[in-house]
Amino acid sequence: MTTLVFVHGWSVTNTSTYGQLPSQLQQQAAAAGLSLTLADIWLSEYVSFDDAVTMPDLVRAFDHALRDLHLLDASFACLTHSTGGPVVREWLRAQRDKPATHSTIRLSHLVMLAPANFGSALAQLGKSVLGRLKSMFAGVDPGQRILDWLELGSTESLSLNLDHIHSDDPVLSGQFQFVLTGDRPDRSLYDHLNSYTGEDGSDGVVRIAAANLNAHHAVLSPQNGGAQAGVDTLALNLTRSPRCAFKLIAGAAHSGDAYGIMASAAPVTVQAIVRCLQIRSATDYGALCDAFDQENAARDADKVELEPAGLFSPRVHIHDPRSLLIVRLTDEAGEPLTGAGFLLTAGVPASPDLLPDGFMLDRQANSKNRTTISLFLDHSLLAGDARVADPRNSRKTLRAAVDSHRPYGAGVQPTDLGGLVHHALANSAAGDDLFGVLAPHQTTVLDVVLPRKIHEGVFRLTRQLAPEDFSEPVPGNVID
């Protein structure tokens, strides 16, 4: 018998947010031969709308609540929505790193619905703006500390996700993780003062790429002997995360009774959850990952959406796969490169003017770490794409074929090009194509690390015993 714990998202004040999903899941699980009854389903109630509450507070309280279940076999499965995913993932990390203070209860299956794993572009809008959107989230304003975690490029979210990318595969320890997310917003909930709520490539709250746990960590760092004509060369290193089962739920949105991935309890969502809960081995998990990939490819091939617009012609949406690129600009000492310019380039010779039109969909700097910038990119335009025909008339072209502009590179323009301590212009190596760090529906964290030029004039020793003014030191050579 499996105990299933539901963990809701942020700014929720009532367990009605789960809708018919628990009962529908119970019925489908029984039909599939899973031993799961309503007595085994626990609906969480946690507070995210108090400014004093932090993510570590939620983790400790979640651990305490689990202990109170007195599970017979000390194990459970968990189904989360939105911020519930990061809450449970943070608990798993705390359980691993702080065994003296956290329970040894084993999580066998973690099924995340629309998880804000890398955050949400909405989080930066702040509590005052989100207050207008509370009907969308069926709750009240979220707490500021949780909102800080959810901001794209936050130190806390990147810490968790980089730990995931560089850690062992959870499957090796018998734990199975899954991400199911909707592929479009509920346009009836669109807020005209906030375009993020109707953004293609998202479910209206969380971008598809920001939900997906299949991710990359790329580092552009100094290449030995790579300086040419006063411009430093940065070499690329890439790490891929363990594979995670990821499925797009066609037509599902983040929230709402009509299309919300949880509250609507659509058959396709319930069936996908049951498929996840049935996994019992690494072989089964790999097969499900493959199946989900094939289903996602079929969904991506059917990329044109015609949104009804009353008496007018329908609005056309071309659902290209998107990539989220989170760029952090620092130097070798970990100092942020404040004010530095970061440029993407294309072609040979490399130039920002050769980038394909429309590839950049959005950019957002983290409010607390201004040198961390999230770029939302159209992966299809960067890759090159075939002609997109009008489904109503195949002779009509909605978008002409787009050529690839590879290779892609990057350049950094620091503001401090001189002085006792400074930085120099830097470019990625000519042989490195940055397109390789991007993937459709996925996030890449890109650390750009520049050499720190420290001159001899910072510290000198002298044999001159007579008083000597060194208030205006001569820089001298750069220390090797």
Side-chain angles (χ1 to χ4, degrees):
M1 183 174 291
T2 300
T3 298
L4 180 61
V5 175
F6 278 57
V7 180
H8 59 68
W10 49 286
S11 192
V12 170
T13 59
N14 196 297
T15 54
S16 63
T17 188
Y18 299 111
Q20 297 300 310
L21 186 57
S23 59
Q24 292 294 327
L25 186 55
Q26 177 197 15
Q27 296 173 18
Q28 292 294 324
L34 285 174
S35 180
L36 185 70
T37 68
L38 273 177
D40 302 313
I41 297 179
W42 296 78
L43 306 185
S44 68
E45 299 177 10
Y46 73 86
V47 174
S48 66
F49 45 86
D50 186 317
D51 283 346
V53 175
T54 66
M55 184 66 81
D57 293 337
L58 290 179
V59 168
R60 288 181 60 188
F62 177 62
D63 189 76
H64 179 78
L66 284 176
R67 294 172 189 263
D68 283 347
L69 293 182
H70 301 293
L71 300 171
L72 294 178
D73 59 355
S75 69
F76 71 107
C78 190
L79 191 144
T80 69
H81 179 243
S82 194
T83 306
V87 168
V88 177
R89 291 180 59 223
E90 286 280 23
W91 172 75
L92 286 170
R93 181 165 65 154
Q95 188 185 46
R96 181 198 67 193
D97 295 343
K98 303 174 182 177
T101 57
H102 288 71
S103 70
T104 58
I105 299 171
R106 189 177 72 87
L107 176 60
S108 61
H109 296 69
L110 175 57
V111 184
M112 293 170 273
L113 303 181
N117 282 320
F118 283 87
S120 168
L122 281 167
Q124 195 178 86
L125 298 179
K127 293 175 63 179
S128 59
V129 178
L130 285 175
R132 292 189 297 101
L133 305 177
K134 66 180 181 180
S135 60
M136 176 184 299
F137 305 125
V140 296
D141 283 11
Q144 188 63 50
R145 301 294 295 277
I146 304 302
L147 200 62
D148 290 343
W149 194 104
L150 290 170
E151 190 174 337
L152 291 175
S154 74
T155 300
E156 298 83 2
S157 68
L158 289 179
S159 172
L160 177 65
N161 290 307
L162 289 174
D163 179 81
H164 163 71
I165 291 171
H166 291 277
S167 292
D168 292 336
D169 189 342
V171 173
L172 298 176
S173 60
Q175 182 187 100
F176 308 109
Q177 299 187 8
F178 314 84
V179 171
L180 313 177
T181 194
D183 70 343
R184 64 196 60 187
D186 181 347
R187 304 193 190 281
S188 67
L189 300 178
Y190 178 72
D191 184 278
H192 293 276
L193 299 180
N194 173 24
S195 60
Y196 286 134
T197 59
E199 184 180 51
D200 288 337
S202 81
D203 63 5
V205 175
V206 176
R207 290 168 175 169
I208 295 171
N212 197 350
L213 277 182
N214 294 292
H216 303 76
H217 181 206
V219 180
L220 285 173
S221 57
Q223 177 176 291
N224 292 333
Q228 298 180 1
V231 179
D232 288 318
T233 300
L234 305 177
L236 178 65
N237 181 271
L238 181 65
T239 303
R240 291 180 173 85
S241 68
R243 191 181 189 189
C244 178
F246 172 75
K247 179 172 174 57
L248 295 169
I249 305 296
H254 192 82
S255 57
D257 294 336
Y259 302 105
I261 193 169
M262 183 168 64
S264 67
V268 64
T269 303
V270 178
Q271 291 164 9
I273 295 171
V274 171
R275 292 166 72 187
C276 295
L277 294 176
Q278 288 177 309
I279 298 301
R280 290 294 180 268
S281 70
T283 300
D284 292 344
Y285 185 77
L288 185 63
C289 288
D290 292 341
F292 281 174
D293 287 348
Q294 293 172 7
E295 293 161 18
N296 294 338
R299 174 269 178 200
D300 286 342
D302 184 19
K303 64 168 58 181
V304 178
E305 176 195 359
L306 301 176
E307 179 194 355
L311 299 177
F312 303 97
S313 298
R315 301 182 184 91
V316 176
H317 299 271
I318 300 176
H319 289 283
D320 288 333
R322 268 73 167 171
S323 299
L324 182 60
L325 182 65
I326 301 177
V327 182
R328 300 193 295 186
L329 301 175
T330 63
D331 66 16
E332 294 170 307
E335 292 292 324
L337 298 176
T338 305
F342 176 77
L343 292 175
L344 291 173
T345 62
V348 179
S351 170
D353 295 331
L354 297 178
L355 290 162
D357 292 339
F359 84 98
M360 178 77 72
L361 303 170
D362 183 61
R363 70 191 78 187
Q364 187 181 101
N366 185 270
S367 63
K368 296 185 179 296
N369 302 291
R370 303 301 295 180
T371 56
T372 299
I373 307 159
S374 296
L375 307 177
F376 198 38
L377 311 176
D378 189 315
H379 188 272
S380 291
L381 295 182
L382 290 170
D385 197 32
R387 165 184 173 268
V388 178
D390 191 328
R392 299 161 296 185
N393 180 357
S394 61
R395 294 183 177 181
K396 182 179 179 181
T397 298
L398 295 179
R399 186 176 71 197
V402 179
D403 293 330
S404 172
H405 293 236
R406 299 172 66 179
Y408 296 108
V412 184
Q413 299 176 340
T415 56
D416 56 339
L417 298 176
L420 287 173
V421 179
H422 70 96
H423 304 88
L425 299 174
N427 294 321
S428 57
D432 289 334
D433 184 357
L434 293 191
F435 184 76
V437 311
L438 302 175
H441 306 308
Q442 294 185 20
T443 294
T444 299
V445 180
L446 174 61
D447 281 317
V448 182
V449 184
L450 263 58
R452 189 174 176 86
K453 313 292 186 180
I454 305 172
H455 290 258
E456 294 173 343
V458 170
F459 197 113
R460 286 191 174 99
L461 299 175
T462 179
R463 291 184 176 182
Q464 178 61 259
L465 298 181
E468 184 178 8
D469 183 5
F470 58 91
S471 61
E472 297 182 1
V474 176
N477 295 325
V478 174
I479 298 171
D480 293 331

